[in-house]
Amino acid sequence: MLQIAPCGTVEGNLEKGIKACRKAKEMGADIALFPEMWSIGYRIWDRPADEWTAEAIAADSPFVRIFGALAAELRMAIGITLLEQWDNGPRNTLVLFDRFGERRLTYAKVHTCDFSVEKHLTPGDGFSVTELDTACGIVQVGAMICYDREFPESARILMLQGAELILVPNACPMESNRLSQLRARAYENMTAVATCNYPAMVPDCNGGSSVFDGVAYLPDAESSRDTCILQAGEEEGIYLADLDLEQLRAYRKTEVHGNAYRHPKKYGLLTDTQIREPFCRADYRE
């Protein structure tokens, strides 16, 4: 998790991002994840929409391609985030490169915060999972971005597609309730969830990047265990967590969560788009 503060320009963020990736590799990282919308440092709350939307860049722009080349050079996967150029309004996007510099996943935030400034963004079309080749072997990886975590369907769909690890770029205060959501997404889907936030020196953020490994019970343990294997503080820095994939896979073969005992034929209401919204709090701020 690259819990770092932006520099104020795309060029500055590019330079700082490269240095952070190199440092992460020196620390032993196999995957480096940026916070949400790193290309502009998520500077959208305090500026007119026409100003920040004009800063959108293409998903195949030099900014993005440089991180692909860097992934190949370092032999380390990189999840770079950006405000992506898109018809009818930009997208809030993650591009994941594998350790060979190949683009494995392009995910645009599905649950944009339409109650606020993100109403100027174009939501993504859906969720997908990719096979990511790391130095430790293959891992099935999916992604959510920030507000996506508040919808259980996001992680559930990724789990159903085989996700073992969900990457979550973030830009908001990670208080106890939001951390509880991430813990729940990991627990109920038996999936690791890694969230990278901005440090407290960035307005409306407080660090707290986290990793939940999704393994609540061990064979020889008398009670459940804490699935949180990393909880960063408020400070800027690079934070690493070791994910035991073999432990996770063994756990998923024997435990009762995830897809083990679902009754999907009884969930039709979840996909009925004609249902009236029960409430809408327009004053909620993500």
Side-chain angles (χ1 to χ4, degrees), residues 87-161:
D87 294 339
N88 302 318
R91 304 198 306 179
N92 185 341
T93 299
L94 163 74
V95 175
L96 178 63
F97 292 101
D98 68 15
R99 64 188 176 121
F100 306 110
E102 296 295 324
R103 191 181 304 241
R104 301 299 304 171
L105 181 70
T106 300
Y107 169 71
K109 186 175 184 178
V110 168
H111 299 101
T112 50
C113 301
D114 295 340
F115 47 80
S116 190
V117 293
E118 284 196 358
K119 64 187 176 183
H120 300 287
L121 298 176
T122 300
D125 295 327
F127 300 91
S128 61
V129 171
T130 187
E131 185 177 90
L132 186 69
D133 187 329
T134 75
C136 295
I138 300 296
V139 58
Q140 302 295 326
V141 179
M144 307 186 297
I145 295 179
C146 201
Y147 190 49
D148 282 327
R149 84 181 157 263
E150 304 203 13
F151 298 85
E153 297 86 353
S154 305
R156 181 54 46 114
I157 290 172
L158 290 170
M159 178 276 293
L160 290 172
Q161 295 180 81

Side-chain angles (χ1 to χ4, degrees), residues 211-226:
V211 178
F212 296 91
D213 69 6
V215 179
Y217 308 101
L218 294 178
D220 299 327
E222 295 182 359
S223 61
S224 64
R225 61 183 284 274
D226 188 353

